[in-house]
Amino acid sequence: MTAPLPLIAVTCGEPAGIGPDLAPHLAGLALPARPVWIGDARHLPSGRHAVIGSIAEAQEVQGDALAVLHRDFGAKRQPGTPQPSHAKPVIAAIEEAARLAMAGEVAAICTMPINKKALKDGAGFAFPGHTEMLAELAGGVDVAMMLASSSVSPPLRVVPATIHIALADVPAALTEAVLSRAIRIVHAALIRDFGVSAPRLAVAGLNPHAGEGGVMGREEVDWIAPLLTRLRAEGIEIAGPLPADTMFHAPARARYDAAICAYHDQALIPIKTLDFAGGVNVTLGLPFIRSSPDHGTAFDIAGTGAADPSSAIAALRMAAEMAQRRAS
């Protein structure tokens, strides 16, 4: 008898965005896991989905239909126009997925895009994004946000050491403790979740030309380089601090398995340029697996059928592969 596939909880995200448009594309994929959508089934396009009443019923869904754990959001979907009444149910779907993951009832979660302003306006959402919310739901653990490409070669994985803060605040926020923590989280995750037995890391400098010996900034000389030297002594293979403007062409990418960058755009501009449609957001450091497509709600095309499912499919596939590695 064939063992049941592990489950992946897929949260609906913002109903007014393209999340519901992407749902049909997640059905019938050849994956080592079965996706279960958490949200209002009435928001989904008609097609291949089956409503279930409990997570256990997902294994009973036949054929290629997408199992939908129906949660009543009260109001119909209005593509392109967020409704305040949807904010609390959207947050509740994320909370439920995290609970299921921590209880071992699902092997991973995959989150569709949310709109932070809509959640703040409708429910007082207090987090910069999914990453920070999930860290708190998991007990206040230290996390890192990785963006991973699904189709470029050599592959690209980037991690900003500081995330959703103003650029003016980065120099003070990028401390030795913050950078060290990010490096350690990435190193452990590459081994555990990505099958990289001996990770090679690259660390970008904060300043242009990585400070050029202190001429363009002192952070690299004063503490980044000494920190990397200490971590190398622990057995972590790290290159850097490196000039960020020469880290992301193909020959440079071939020399590392993940790049740790100083701030949000330093990390995300390269991957969104090289693999805009196929990038995947992964939260490292959680006690469970979480992935997400690397795009937003795209209100301008919601409900039109024009949404590209590549990133959502890649996110689901990556979550399934990570779950498979953890189970082996």
Side-chain angles (χ1 to χ4, degrees):
M1 183 176 177
T2 304
L5 290 173
L7 304 177
I8 297 178
V10 182
T11 61
C12 58
E14 169 55 56
I18 60 173
D21 302 342
L22 299 172
H25 299 281
L26 305 183
L29 299 173
L31 298 174
R34 178 189 289 271
V36 181
W37 186 272
I38 302 178
D40 195 320
R42 297 169 300 179
H43 295 164
L44 302 183
S46 59
R48 298 181 297 172
H49 64 264
V51 174
I52 58 176
S54 69
I55 195 71
E57 294 176 19
Q59 300 293 358
E60 301 171 11
V61 174
Q62 301 297 310
D64 290 341
L66 175 66
V68 177
L69 193 56
H70 176 63
R71 297 293 179 256
D72 190 346
F73 278 32
K76 292 182 179 180
R77 176 194 185 207
Q78 296 181 9
T81 306
Q83 298 177 69
S85 62
H86 283 163
K88 288 184 178 180
V90 167
I91 294 168
I94 301 167
E95 293 171 338
E96 182 172 9
R99 285 196 302 270
L100 290 170
M102 288 188 285
E105 296 184 62
V106 298
I109 72 173
C110 182
T111 59
M112 292 300 106
I114 56 175
N115 181 272
K116 274 77 78 174
K117 184 179 187 303
L119 296 186
K120 183 176 181 180
D121 291 348
F125 189 66
F127 302 97
H130 271 112
T131 301
E132 295 84 358
M133 178 184 179
L134 292 169
E136 180 166 302
L137 290 173
V141 298
D142 291 329
V143 297
M145 183 177 80
M146 172 182 281
L147 282 298
S149 68
S150 63
S151 60
V152 300
S153 181
L156 178 59
R157 304 181 186 100
V158 294
V159 176
T162 62
I163 309 178
H164 297 119
I165 62 174
L167 186 59
D169 297 333
V170 169
L174 183 69
T175 64
E176 184 173 314
V178 165
L179 183 56
S180 176
R181 183 164 57 243
I183 290 169
R184 293 182 190 280
I185 291 172
V186 173
H187 186 263
L190 287 172
I191 296 171
R192 182 182 187 184
D193 294 328
F194 291 89
V196 181
S197 59
R200 302 165 302 157
L201 305 181
V203 174
L206 170 64
N207 298 294
H209 298 191
E212 200 160 300
V215 175
M216 298 183 186
R218 295 286 310 175
E219 286 85 356
E220 290 80 6
V221 173
D222 290 346
W223 66 268
I224 297 177
L227 169 63
L228 301 189
T229 297
R230 293 195 297 274
L231 292 173
R232 290 187 195 103
E234 296 180 15
I236 300 177
E237 184 176 343
I238 314 176
L242 301 173
D245 61 350
T246 58
M247 284 179 61
F248 300 107
H249 60 94
R253 298 199 309 274
R255 295 194 288 267
Y256 59 79
D257 300 300
I260 294 91
C261 298
Y263 54 92
H264 184 278
D265 285 10
Q266 192 184 58
L268 271 63
I269 286 173
I271 196 163
K272 292 197 176 195
T273 300
L274 293 171
D275 195 13
F276 185 81
V280 176
N281 186 337
V282 182
T283 304
L284 309 180
L286 293 169
F288 52 86
I289 294 163
R290 179 261 173 164
S291 69
S292 180
D294 181 28
H295 57 66
T297 50
F299 289 139
D300 57 325
I301 60 170
T304 67
D308 184 345
S310 301
S311 186
I313 293 171
L316 187 59
R317 189 178 305 281
M318 189 170 292
E321 292 170 351
M322 291 169 69
Q324 191 174 43
R325 290 190 190 98
R326 287 198 183 186
S328 63

